[in-house]
Amino acid sequence: MAEISSDIIRGYNDTIILYLLLDGPSYGYELSKRIRTNTDEKYIIKETTLYSAFTRMEKNGYIESFTDEVLSGGKKRTYYRITDSGRAYYQAKCEEWNLTKEVIEKFIVK
Amino acid sequence: MAEISSDIIRGYNDTIILYLLLDGPSYGYELSKRIRTNTDEKYIIKETTLYSAFTRMEKNGYIESFTDEVLSGGKKRTYYRITDSGRAYYQAKCEEWNLTKEVIEKFIVK
DNA sequence: CTATCGTACTACGCGTGTCGTAGTAAATAT
DNA sequence: ATATTTACTACGACACGCGTAGTACGATAG
C-alpha cells in the first residue's frame, strides 16, 4: 500500500494538530493516538515531528501550553490550547489547501 | 489570495514535471511556462526548483536528458524524456496523492 | 546603435520541517 | 521480575525549495 511521504504532509502537520485542538486542549500522546485512529492507521505521526511542531507553534503564538499537576505514566503532561491567532492560521491553511489541491490535481491522473 | 506554500508542494514538483513529460520530451523553460498557464498563474515554479528537480530525477533514473544542437536564445537546450521507471514512479505518486488527500481532508473544514 | 527584454540555463549556500536514534522516568500489565 | 505503555526531551542528519547572482546570445524598441 502507498505510504504518505513526509514531503507532502510537511507543513500540514501543524494544520492537523490545530484542527484537533479546536475541540479543546490536548497533549502529545493523546493527539498522536487521535491522528492514528482518525485516519484508520493511515497516518501515524512521528513523535519527534509532533513535539517539534508544538515548540514551533507555541513560538509562533498559535498555541499556548499549561501543565497538569497530575502525573500520568510517570511524566507530567504538557497540554496545549489553540489561540485566536492559531484559529486564524488554521483557516488560512484550509484555504491554502483547497488551492493547492486544485493545482496538484491538474497533474494527477485518476 | 492564498499562496501555495513550498512546504505543501514539496515533493510534488517531481510529479508535476513527470506528468508534463508524459506528452513527450520537453525542457526547463517550456515546462515552467506550461505549469504557469496550466494552473492559470496559480503556481509559478521557481527556476532553481525546476532545474534541481531535473538533476535529482535524472540521478534517480526517472528521466533522461539529451541536447539539441540548435541554439535557442543563446543557450543550448537540454531536453528531458521520461523513462519507464519515471512512469512507474509517477503512478505511485498519484496513488500516494489520493491517500494523502483523503488523510488531510479529515482535518480540513470546508 | 545602445539598451532592455526574453530565452535557457548553472552555481552556491541557507532555512525549515521531518525523522532516526537514544535516553529518561514512572505506572501498569504479564 | 520484566516488558510494555505513557509522556516526553535532546541531538543531529538530510532533503527540498528558494534567494541571489551570474553567463550567454538573439530580438526588439527607442
Side-chain angles (χ1 to χ4, degrees):
Chain A
M1 194 184 76
E3 289 263 319
I4 291 179
S5 87
S6 54
D7 278 333
I8 214 270
I9 210 83
R10 184 186 246 249
Y12 272 78
N13 280 315
D14 290 9
T15 312
I16 289 171
I17 294 164
L18 291 175
Y19 170 83
L20 294 171
L21 291 180
L22 289 173
D23 292 346
S26 189
Y27 57 96
Y29 201 80
E30 200 204 36
L31 287 181
S32 106
K33 283 199 292 182
R34 283 170 72 193
I35 291 169
R36 203 183 164 131
T37 55
N38 223 319
T39 62
D40 308 307
E41 316 268 309
K42 282 177 191 121
Y43 182 47
I44 297 162
I45 197 167
K46 301 291 179 301
E47 283 179 66
T48 39
T49 301
L50 181 59
Y51 291 110
S52 69
F54 283 149
T55 313
R56 178 175 55 250
M57 289 203 288
E58 186 163 31
K59 215 174 281 172
N60 292 339
Y62 301 146
I63 56 174
E64 284 167 351
S65 66
F66 58 97
T67 39
D68 201 354
E69 286 307 299
V70 181
L71 295 191
S72 322
K75 284 267 166 118
K76 57 183 180 327
R77 281 186 195 145
T78 306
Y79 282 87
Y80 293 93
R81 177 195 294 126
I82 190 167
T83 63
D84 285 346
S85 166
R87 261 179 274 269
Y89 178 73
Y90 172 74
Q91 276 305 319
K93 273 289 179 178
C94 287
E95 282 169 49
E96 185 197 88
W97 165 256
N98 290 316
L99 177 64
T100 307
K101 187 178 69 168
E102 202 191 309
V103 164
I104 294 184
E105 298 221 312
K106 285 182 195 290
F107 305 97
I108 295 288
V109 178
K110 270 156 243 165
Chain B
M1 194 184 75
E3 290 264 317
I4 290 179
S5 86
S6 52
D7 278 333
I8 215 274
I9 210 83
R10 184 188 247 248
Y12 272 78
N13 281 313
D14 290 8
T15 312
I16 290 171
I17 294 164
L18 291 175
Y19 170 82
L20 294 171
L21 291 180
L22 289 173
D23 292 346
S26 189
Y27 57 96
Y29 201 80
E30 201 204 34
L31 287 180
S32 106
K33 283 198 292 183
R34 285 170 70 193
I35 291 169
R36 204 183 163 130
T37 55
N38 223 317
T39 62
D40 308 308
E41 314 269 312
K42 281 177 193 121
Y43 183 47
I44 297 163
I45 196 167
K46 302 290 178 299
E47 283 180 65
T48 40
T49 301
L50 181 59
Y51 290 109
S52 68
F54 283 149
T55 313
R56 177 175 55 249
M57 290 202 289
E58 186 164 31
K59 214 173 282 173
N60 292 338
Y62 301 146
I63 55 175
E64 284 166 352
S65 67
F66 59 99
T67 40
D68 200 353
E69 286 308 298
V70 180
L71 295 191
S72 323
K75 282 265 166 124
K76 57 183 182 321
R77 279 184 196 149
T78 306
Y79 283 88
Y80 292 93
R81 176 196 295 127
I82 190 167
T83 64
D84 285 345
S85 166
R87 261 178 273 268
Y89 178 74
Y90 172 76
Q91 276 304 319
K93 274 288 177 181
C94 288
E95 282 169 48
E96 185 198 88
W97 165 256
N98 290 316
L99 177 65
T100 306
K101 188 178 68 170
E102 201 191 309
V103 164
I104 293 184
E105 299 220 313
K106 286 182 195 288
F107 304 96
I108 294 289
V109 178
K110 271 155 244 166

